Amino acid sequence: MRFSGLSLLLATSVAVAGCTFKGVPEPELSARDAEFMALVPKAQDDLRYGRYLMDDSTGEAPGTIVVDTKERFLYYVLPGKKVIRYGVAVGDEAYGWTGTARVARKAEWPDWNPPAEMKVRWPHVRFTKGGPENPLGARALYLYEGDKDTLYRIHGTNEPEKIGLAVSSGCIRMKNIDVVDLYNRVGANAKVIVR
């Protein structure tokens, strides 16, 4: 069966009309943020992994972060049964992590000191001062189970082309502009659910 251009346009319009999402404005950036982000390589944006305000399908309390590792989305739950959905990169199958944690610490342009296990797997990794070449990117949210550091983070990236993929050592990576937006919204001890 062959669709005419008008039929295809009509079918697309009907499908899009059922969607209830809209873009979220860019967060304000400091001069340092703008300077550092300009030095991070650019990647072509995939609209599927944009930052959108949507109806809440998580059922979690406002202020909760929910990460869907299979679909590669992070949801920040808002009041009024809404969420902001962000595209993410997640841990590849060998290093993925699921569970419930809390945001115990937040940092802007953090230093990165790779854990000992990572240094064994990849001897080339080393301490990196915070900045545009740092794998943690513009912001990091440090995930703890009780008082124990899980060693997993939600953080920015200097490899934005990998958003939507399973490539990390277990951390949740976001575009730098998105992690700044999330960082500005998240409170201390926010609940994080990684599925």
Side-chain angles (χ1 to χ4, degrees):
M1 177 177 194
R2 185 175 173 169
F3 286 103
S4 70
L6 182 57
S7 297
L8 185 56
L9 179 61
L10 181 59
T12 302
S13 298
V14 169
V16 171
C19 297
T20 56
F21 63 91
K22 66 179 184 177
V24 175
E26 300 282 291
E28 287 191 34
L29 298 176
S30 68
R32 179 175 75 159
D33 286 337
E35 176 187 344
F36 281 0
M37 284 187 197
L39 299 172
V40 174
K42 303 293 181 244
Q44 177 142 1
D45 283 337
D46 183 334
L47 294 179
R48 288 177 299 175
Y49 299 109
R51 185 174 60 252
Y52 297 110
L53 178 66
M54 309 176 76
D55 292 332
D56 181 12
S57 61
T58 71
E60 297 296 333
T64 303
I65 295 170
V66 179
V67 180
D68 181 335
T69 58
K70 291 190 180 14
E71 297 296 323
R72 316 291 199 270
F73 293 119
L74 180 150
Y75 300 89
Y76 180 68
V77 183
L78 300 170
K81 299 187 178 190
K82 295 290 184 185
V83 295
I84 298 177
R85 187 188 80 182
Y86 307 86
V88 296
V90 299
D92 75 15
E93 195 170 312
Y95 307 113
W97 172 79
T98 59
T100 301
R102 68 182 177 88
V103 175
R105 185 164 80 89
K106 297 170 30 172
E108 296 185 17
W109 296 101
D111 294 341
W112 181 55
N113 195 8
E117 312 81 58
M118 188 179 288
K119 291 178 183 177
V120 169
R121 283 194 307 267
W122 299 300
H124 67 281
V125 299
R126 67 191 189 308
F127 171 85
T128 307
K129 185 95 177 114
E133 294 180 13
N134 186 309
L136 296 182
R139 304 287 188 275
L141 307 175
Y142 295 75
L143 306 183
Y144 280 60
E145 290 177 325
D147 291 332
K148 183 178 182 221
D149 188 350
T150 65
L151 301 179
Y152 293 103
R153 315 285 182 244
I154 297 171
H155 63 81
T157 184
N158 57 7
E159 298 179 310
E161 71 279 3
K162 294 187 177 174
I163 297 300
L165 303 177
V167 293
S168 76
S169 291
C171 289
I172 308 301
R173 298 182 192 176
M174 303 176 74
K175 291 186 288 186
N176 282 323
I177 195 72
D178 287 349
V179 80
V180 168
D181 185 76
L182 180 66
Y183 178 97
N184 291 345
R185 296 173 189 278
V186 170
N189 293 311
K191 182 177 180 181
V192 178
I193 302 167
V194 180
R195 300 177 176 153

